[in-house]
Amino acid sequence: MKNNIVLIGFMGVGKGSVAREIVSQSGMIAVDTDDIIESMENRKIKKIFAEEGEPYFRALEKRVAKWLRNSVDNTLVSTGGGFYKVPKLREIGTVVLLHAPFETIYQRILDHPNAAKKLKKRPLFQEIDKAKALYDEREPQYMKMANIVIDVSGKDYETIAKEILKKTSRK
Ligand code: S3P
């Protein structure tokens, strides 16, 4: 098994912020699958969805997954909310699910000073009913894929990062 940590979970649950906190606590190198895809394509996720459609984006995620499997180790990998569907996800590393109820996630986004921007950049979070349906469909699948589940409700990023590093035996 590779020594990567792979953070999965729904849009807005805080994967990016938790990743930054893990980096500052552990000194691990981090990569983010959405950032890699934006660099590969030299355009934003929103634009890729609008110009090419979702299946094109999902194919890019599979390419990134293959690269991570073959070439990356000892790294913290934060992922987009749909990345968990790539083949052989667990071969990339220890899969850690950040879990919270949908209402908590949505409220967290709304409470953010950049809430409008955070919603606008996410093509699959444009309508709340559709986002909730997607959450309900995905949550059991996330649970199935996860080696470790972290309940993030009511916890700050520092606490969540500590818990992840402890449970993955990094600290
Ligand atoms: C997606 C989540 C997004 C991004 C894309 C699709 C999804 O990442 O990969 O918009 O299918 O849930 P975040 O989880 O960082 O918002």
Side-chain angles (χ1 to χ4, degrees):
M1 174 95 148
K2 279 172 163 289
N3 211 13
N4 297 310
I5 298 175
V6 184
L7 289 184
I8 66 165
F10 201 67
M11 293 173 273
V13 74
K15 290 164 292 187
S17 303
V18 169
R20 283 187 286 280
E21 185 59 36
I22 291 176
V23 165
S24 94
Q25 286 184 25
S26 68
M28 280 179 88
I29 300 271
V31 295
D32 179 273
T33 59
D34 282 347
D35 289 348
I36 295 167
I37 287 172
E38 288 186 344
S39 309
M40 283 161 76
E41 289 283 306
N42 196 24
R43 49 186 166 168
K44 296 286 181 192
I45 303 290
K46 191 180 162 204
K47 213 163 182 213
I48 300 172
F49 266 74
E51 293 179 352
E52 313 290 348
E54 186 173 343
Y56 179 89
F57 175 77
R58 298 300 172 201
L60 291 172
E61 286 190 314
K62 286 184 190 157
R63 268 179 67 197
V64 172
K66 195 171 172 193
W67 170 74
L68 290 166
R69 256 196 338 265
N70 293 339
S71 312
V72 176
D73 208 0
N74 299 312
T75 297
L76 176 74
V77 181
S78 57
T79 66
F83 189 84
Y84 75 100
K85 281 192 181 166
V86 299
K88 305 183 204 167
L89 178 75
R90 283 186 168 186
E91 287 181 23
I92 298 173
T94 305
V95 179
V96 177
L97 169 64
L98 303 188
H99 167 78
F102 181 78
E103 291 67 26
T104 308
I105 293 174
Y106 188 50
Q107 197 54 51
R108 237 194 98 252
I109 298 176
L110 294 183
D111 289 344
H112 198 278
N114 277 334
K117 205 173 156 201
K118 292 214 162 260
L119 287 172
K120 213 169 153 212
K121 73 169 193 182
R122 295 183 158 112
L124 300 180
F125 217 132
Q126 296 310 299
E127 291 171 48
I128 178 146
D129 293 353
K130 283 193 184 161
K132 170 79 169 85
L134 190 61
Y135 174 93
D136 288 342
E137 178 193 321
R138 280 183 178 173
E139 206 53 35
Q141 299 172 15
Y142 286 143
M143 290 281 183
K144 237 188 234 171
M145 292 312 302
N147 299 115
I148 296 169
V149 178
I150 308 281
D151 192 338
V152 300
S153 307
K155 292 178 191 160
D156 58 24
Y157 297 131
E158 194 185 336
T159 308
I160 299 164
K162 260 193 201 134
E163 199 175 327
I164 293 170
L165 289 168
K166 199 169 165 209
K167 289 196 172 151
T168 53
S169 311
R170 304 269 171 167
K171 255 190 176 169

